[in-house]
Amino acid sequence: SLCYGKRRVASSPTTEEVLAMGSNRGRISLWSTKTGELRVDMQADKFGRDPTWVWCLKFVLHGQYIAVGDSLGKVTLWDLSFGTQTAVFSDHIADVLALAVEANQSVFYSAGADGSIAQFRMVQQQQLPSHHHQHQDQGEAGARGVWVRTHTRRVHSHDVRALAISPKMMKERSSSGTYGKKK
């Protein structure tokens, strides 16, 4: 994401050129970079009278979803086919300031002012424990899978304001199983 005044900006990884913007009023807008036309307009949840700030956003699963981190400590996934919230995670106790997406696009991370990093992934229905099945939407999004939080670790005593993923480190982690664990 880039910062542009009081707005956050992300570009789509797909060939369809889309620009996503999040504002200090909780608005998430998708714009065509070819025509300048507003494609989708969504509104983040609000708590009380204060507006919700969208601090970061990233396209995930090859542009099918957008992950949004906000000032309420939430990570919200929006299904861009319908412009609807697919999942909301409240794992952070303070603002979510950064998101990073793995190359496979089905795993991403959030970090924030609470010093913690959370991992999320898309899983297929059959991979979920049986108690999850009864709560899942069986519509189009359910056919593709569901987003779940897989890990949360507090790794810093202060804000985590930026995340980046090294493909080499991710490859080493998956082969050794030791990345992020104390030796």
Side-chain angles (χ1 to χ4, degrees):
S1 315
L2 301 171
C3 181
Y4 181 73
K6 294 182 179 180
R7 292 178 176 82
R8 303 299 182 255
V9 180
S11 59
S12 173
T14 65
T15 56
E16 186 179 337
E17 291 142 4
V18 175
L19 185 69
M21 292 177 39
S23 76
N24 63 334
R25 297 278 181 217
R27 186 174 172 191
I28 303 129
S29 305
L30 301 181
W31 298 86
S32 166
T33 57
K34 288 182 179 179
T35 66
E37 165 187 347
L38 177 64
R39 305 280 305 281
V40 180
D41 203 18
M42 302 166 287
Q43 185 67 44
D45 290 340
K46 190 175 177 181
F47 182 75
R49 299 175 76 167
D50 295 330
T52 300
W53 284 64
V54 172
W55 287 119
C56 51
L57 29 78
K58 290 279 186 181
F59 287 96
V60 293
L61 207 59
H62 309 288
Q64 294 178 45
Y65 297 89
I66 192 164
V68 176
D70 67 32
S71 59
L72 299 178
K74 293 181 182 180
V75 173
T76 304
L77 280 138
W78 294 82
D79 183 325
L80 298 181
S81 299
F82 303 104
T84 57
Q85 290 183 3
T86 300
V88 179
F89 299 96
S90 300
D91 295 289
H92 294 277
I93 58 172
D95 299 19
V96 177
L97 303 173
L99 296 166
V101 183
E102 285 190 14
N104 69 12
Q105 294 280 306
S106 64
V107 178
F108 73 95
Y109 300 83
S110 65
D114 60 358
S116 66
I117 297 176
Q119 180 190 60
F120 305 89
R121 76 175 50 242
M122 169 65 79
V123 297
Q124 299 307 311
Q125 291 282 85
Q126 62 270 24
Q127 295 174 305
L128 291 171
S130 60
H131 65 277
H132 280 87
H133 290 286
Q134 60 190 351
H135 302 294
Q136 299 303 322
D137 176 15
Q138 297 301 316
E140 172 97 13
R144 286 186 271 186
V146 294
W147 289 98
V148 296
R149 182 194 49 79
T150 51
H151 302 288
T152 301
R153 286 188 64 187
R154 180 158 182 166
V155 294
H156 294 282
S157 58
H158 292 76
D159 297 5
V160 178
R161 295 179 183 237
L163 287 176
I165 294 177
S166 163
K168 183 178 187 284
M169 296 275 300
M170 297 310 291
K171 186 176 179 184
E172 289 173 8
R173 179 201 67 179
S174 62
S175 63
S176 70
T178 60
Y179 179 73
K181 294 181 182 176
K182 293 182 181 178
K183 294 182 180 183

